[in-house]
Amino acid sequence: MPGNRAVVYRGAGHVEVEDVEYPAFEIKDGPGVNPDNVGRQLPHGVILKVVATNICGSDQHMVRGRTTAPEGLTLGHEITGEVIETGRDVEFIKTGDLVSVPFNIACGRCRNCKEGKTGVCENVNPDRAGSAYGYVDMGGWVGGQAEYVMVPYADWNLLKFPDRDQAMEKIRDLAMLADIFPTGFHGCVTAGVRPGSTVYIAGAGPVGLAAATSAFLLGAAVVIVADLQKERLDQARGFGCETIDVSQGEPADQIEQLVGEPEVDCAVDAVGFEARGHGGEAQTEHPATVLNAVMSVTRAGGAVGIPGLYVTGDPGAADDAAKVGSLSIRLGLGWAKSLSFTTGQCPVMRYNRQLMMAILHDRTEIARNVNATVIPLDQAPEGYTEFDKGAARKYILDPHGMIS
């Protein structure tokens, strides 16, 4: 049995690459594991040799100390890997398959899974509906920023790439299928992006750039990306987006300069709860800023997609209300404009196969658009630090040196 090394959360602002237990077909006790999950047998799972595993903005929320994540948690929910061992109940996935792992852990058996709502599976997390690898309050499933990881319900969860050699040639793009590409696409689909749409996307981090990529794939006429950081805005302009620096003021005026009116057809919040203000408030945290802005700039009768993360526990929030996820949202404005809102985890399996085909047949270049940057597993702490500083990159960890 080989060893295993993984990225482990060691307190606010601190991650380490450490020796950890090799995965097994059983949930064992550990940081963040719900006691009701301890001892759970997983004959339907597989062991993956991790080929690519990404650092996500959602991971950064934990690493900044902005959640209740326990120290010792193995991080990582964006996983692409090779199957090296299968549980006795796995029927269709085979050893040697190269696969993408949806970040949602789903059983395929509950009511929500059967309705395609795999982000809120009812059977994988005793605390609440919905689960993910290596994430706070998500059932304690071990994360995949590691050399090896166990994936449960493999026949249901895994997306097999049809040709291994072709997949390895496009592995930087395909690594985005685990989370950010479907998540950005979901934000756009739920916002109602269609051919000819004008679209406002708040946030030029990897999910925002993935949403912008998705908007173009869906036929948008104008994609406007807003952020506070020049490097990220430059990255968005590099593939055809219009951009807004919200440190210069509210977005409506800048939108009017771009499209002739201060509104758009639809909007996507790709920022989440650590939002900062606009204009003179750009250096101050205002967690409801983006939600209120997207309501303000979306036309009456339009829709807003909200893939940006919001939490029920934020110990680092500026006020007691925000610490429990209670924000000063202008719901009356949204109601008056008859806006539609979609929140929550993206149900990755709803989109990942179609997006895989778009990648394999050269209809999109998601890795280029998000500036995918491959680094060894040992450099994960440096990757987290640079990403936290606002680097316009999507870091891919390469635990076994398999990405050329």
Side-chain angles (χ1 to χ4, degrees):
M1 181 181 296
N4 193 19
R5 301 174 73 242
V7 181
V8 178
Y9 172 62
R10 285 298 173 195
H14 188 195
V15 299
E16 294 285 350
V17 179
E18 301 179 4
D19 292 328
V20 297
E21 193 169 357
Y22 187 80
F25 296 114
E26 176 185 354
I27 298 180
K28 299 182 179 181
D29 198 9
V33 178
N34 186 293
D36 292 339
N37 256 356
V38 175
R40 187 170 177 172
Q41 299 299 302
L42 309 167
H44 42 69
V46 300
I47 307 298
L48 294 186
K49 179 180 180 179
V50 176
V51 174
T53 177
N54 310 335
I55 297 175
C56 182
S58 298
D59 298 321
Q60 286 286 18
H61 294 305
M62 291 188 290
V63 174
R64 291 186 190 116
R66 296 300 299 269
T67 72
T68 55
E71 292 187 23
L73 184 71
T74 297
L75 300 171
H77 57 270
E78 299 189 25
I79 308 164
T80 307
E82 176 188 357
V83 178
I84 60 171
E85 185 178 354
T86 61
R88 68 173 185 272
D89 291 349
V90 177
E91 186 174 358
F92 303 111
I93 292 292
K94 305 299 182 184
T95 300
D97 286 347
L98 194 63
V99 296
S100 178
V101 184
F103 79 90
N104 324 107
I105 301 171
C107 72
R109 297 151 166 81
C110 69
R111 175 180 176 177
N112 281 342
C113 283
K114 290 179 179 180
E115 292 178 357
K117 302 171 184 175
T118 54
V120 281
C121 173
E122 298 172 311
N123 289 331
V124 289
N125 183 359
D127 291 318
R128 65 182 71 169
S131 191
Y133 304 88
Y135 212 83
V136 59
D137 295 334
M138 289 291 182
W141 300 85
V142 176
Q145 286 175 10
E147 293 175 325
Y148 302 93
V149 68
M150 191 283 305
V151 174
Y153 304 103
D155 283 328
W156 167 251
N157 280 306
L158 294 179
L159 173 66
K160 177 185 173 182
F161 300 138
D163 181 271
R164 181 187 179 90
D165 291 339
Q166 181 191 30
M168 287 304 298
E169 289 177 2
K170 295 180 177 291
I171 196 66
R172 289 171 173 81
D173 297 278
L174 295 171
M176 304 304 147
L177 292 174
D179 182 355
I180 68 161
F181 199 8
T183 293
F185 196 82
H186 180 62
C188 288
V189 168
T190 55
V193 178
R194 55 180 57 89
S197 295
T198 56
V199 186
Y200 176 75
I201 296 172
V207 170
L209 297 175
T213 302
S214 301
F216 284 125
L217 195 59
L218 289 164
V222 181
V223 178
I224 303 167
V225 178
D227 204 277
L228 298 165
Q229 299 196 29
K230 180 182 182 300
E231 186 181 5
R232 289 185 169 188
L233 294 173
D234 289 344
Q235 183 68 26
R237 281 194 296 273
F239 61 95
C241 301
E242 302 288 348
T243 60
I244 286 176
D245 182 349
V246 291
S247 71
Q248 301 303 306
E250 294 297 327
D253 293 339
Q254 298 180 68
I255 289 172
E256 185 170 19
Q257 294 174 20
L258 293 169
V259 298
E261 56 184 352
E263 290 186 328
V264 292
D265 295 323
C266 39
V268 176
D269 172 2
V271 176
F273 72 101
E274 287 193 70
R276 295 183 181 274
H278 296 157
E281 298 292 315
Q283 300 306 313
T284 307
E285 193 168 297
H286 295 277
T289 297
V290 171
L291 289 171
N292 289 329
V294 293
M295 285 190 285
S296 176
V297 302
T298 302
R299 69 175 181 85
V304 176
I306 310 175
L309 176 67
Y310 290 87
V311 295
T312 57
D314 175 9
D319 58 70
D320 290 339
K323 287 180 180 179
V324 293
S326 181
L327 310 181
S328 298
I329 300 169
R330 296 183 63 193
L331 187 59
L333 173 63
W335 189 94
K337 296 178 74 172
S338 294
L339 299 179
S340 299
F341 303 88
T342 300
T343 66
Q345 289 188 29
C346 164
V348 170
M349 280 193 278
R350 190 177 298 174
Y351 309 108
N352 63 352
R353 183 173 296 278
Q354 299 96 306
L355 295 175
M356 174 187 74
M357 296 301 288
I359 290 168
L360 294 178
H361 293 278
D362 300 318
R363 298 302 178 188
T364 186
E365 294 182 286
I366 181 65
R368 182 200 66 177
N369 292 358
V370 301
N371 197 15
T373 303
V374 179
I375 60 175
L377 184 69
D378 284 336
Q379 290 182 18
E382 292 85 350
Y384 269 95
T385 298
E386 292 302 311
F387 192 28
D388 191 49
K389 291 178 180 177
R393 299 176 183 273
K394 176 67 173 178
Y395 286 103
I396 301 175
L397 304 179
D398 180 8
H400 296 278
M402 297 176 69
I403 304 176
S404 58

